[in-house]
Amino acid sequence: MIPLSPQPGRVAIPVTPVTPTGRANWHWRVGFVPALYLAALVVLSFAHAFLASWYWLAVHLLALGAATNAILVWSAHFTSAVLRVPALPHRRGESIRLVVLNAGVVLVLVGGTTDWPWTGVVGAGAVFAAAAWHLCWLVARLRAALPARFAVTAHYYVAACCALLTGIPVGAWMLVVDDAARDRLILFHAHVNVLGWVALTIVGTLFTLWPTVLRTRLDDGAPAAARSALPTAVTGVVLLGIGALAWWPVLAAAGLGVFGAAVVITAVPGLRTAWRKPPRSFAAWSIAAGIGWLLVALGVDAVVVLSAADAHEAVGGFGDVLTPLLVGAVAQILLGALAYLMPVVLGGGPGAVRERGELFDRHWAQRVAMGNTALVVFVRPTGPHVRIAVSLLLVVALLQFLLPAARVLLKRR
């Protein structure tokens, strides 16, 4: 487990064994999965002209494929770390969950891009089963653990799983039914799954991950902030979901504001930590930029909801929200977290960890600056040629993560 600065004043220094362990072998195997979905996004960026539903496919490759796999793996890892429970002697349960999840993801992607919608429904059922199993595992670990300072992190994961289990049936329903309520269902499904499942997990993880990435101690106010941000974020998701489903735009915008307040509560101890130990790595700056884009996306989302005449118009404007939300926030935080975690958990001793970290940090300033500048240009009203050019820069930034990731994973083999 990664030490997570259990007491103020202690420095979070990742400690890895000199020889490969079962944990290292596990993370080596599962590390390929999110990377493959991200690589599929690169392929899609060049082949999208041949796919009518490429935009839907890109969204689900990132959110359902890469992000959901990473969440299942790392939420289990951090749950065991913060609860200080011994690791299980085998990984059979986690392995089966990931197999079921990815079988479901593939079927959902097929059903959403072909004329076989019921294939997607079956896939959604498999994803639902994997998420429900993961939820049961989290609850069991919480019940078996002794009181822990950051047990609240596992509660974030429980709440996020509940959000995903609420959003999946709505997405499956939309694959086979096209009725007057479709626009409201789209808004509900997108908001509950992306904010409730992905963003809520991010908020719960960053309290402990952020100071670890900076290799410094936890801020003294982090535990209290973690406890207060959870009910705030959950309240925001609930208000947002009800407002989107009933099309009460004021209530939906209020939910976005409440969720944004939870992100700010999270950011305050993080900013104090960064002031004490400034970030100097790709992982740290990518995560920091992602949190900034998350707040931007919430603000844009509130404007879109409040200015729309009806749910259909809100769905039409939601594309302006998805780019900063998924590319700016989710993708950057995912890449930053993996850039820090993968070198640490693959074992081999301090020298190997340092070597892998240097690979991920190569040209980090150029990558962060280029990716975020390109994204700023992309979200502004520009001509098609400019958007194509800056989208290629975003693909290059993704490749600059995937190439060292592939080198690290294949070299360890």
Side-chain angles (χ1 to χ4, degrees), residues 187 211 261 292 349:
L187 293 173

Side-chain angles (χ1 to χ4, degrees), residues 238-257:
V238 172
L239 293 177
L240 177 56
I242 295 173
L245 199 58
W247 186 239
W248 295 334
V250 174
L251 185 63
L256 289 166

Side-chain angles (χ1 to χ4, degrees), residues 71-266:
I71 288 172
L72 251 65
V73 170
W74 292 105
S75 62
H77 175 86
F78 279 104
T79 296
S80 298
V82 299
L83 296 181
R84 300 183 179 279
V85 292
L88 297 175
H90 56 78
R91 300 276 188 171
R92 284 194 294 271
E94 287 185 70
S95 299
I96 295 172
R97 281 200 296 275
L98 288 175
V99 169
V100 172
L101 169 67
N102 286 284
V105 170
V106 171
L107 291 175
V108 168
L109 296 179
V110 171
T113 54
T114 65
D115 293 328
W116 305 332
W118 284 101
T119 302
V121 174
V122 173
V127 175
F128 187 95
W133 189 354
H134 185 63
L135 174 62
C136 293
W137 182 90
L138 290 169
V139 172
R141 300 296 265 185
L142 277 166
R143 289 180 175 177
L146 295 173
R149 187 184 182 205
F150 268 97
V152 66
T153 300
H155 291 281
Y156 276 90
Y157 301 152
V158 169
C161 276
C162 292
L164 179 63
L165 293 175
T166 304
I168 288 174
V170 175
W173 176 265
M174 289 189 297
L175 287 172
V176 294
V177 176
D178 188 3
D179 56 16
R182 182 176 182 83
D183 293 321
R184 287 177 288 158
L185 294 177
I186 290 174
L187 293 173
F188 177 88
H189 173 73
H191 283 103
V192 169
N193 279 8
V194 178
L195 293 182
W197 168 238
V198 181
L200 190 57
T201 300
I202 289 170
V203 171
T205 302
L206 287 183
F207 285 105
T208 50
L209 179 61
W210 177 245
T212 310
V213 170
L214 296 182
R215 291 178 170 84
T216 188
R217 63 180 178 86
L218 287 166
D219 184 81
D220 294 339
R227 290 190 295 270
S228 61
L230 175 58
T232 306
V234 171
T235 301
V237 172
V238 172
L239 293 177
L240 177 56
I242 295 173
L245 199 58
W247 186 239
W248 295 334
V250 174
L251 185 63
L256 289 166
V258 173
F259 193 91
V263 177
V264 172
I265 293 172
T266 307

Side-chain angles (χ1 to χ4, degrees), residues 260-279:
V263 177
V264 172
I265 293 172
T266 307
V268 169
L271 287 172
R272 287 198 295 259
T273 303
W275 180 262
R276 187 174 61 248
K277 183 72 178 292

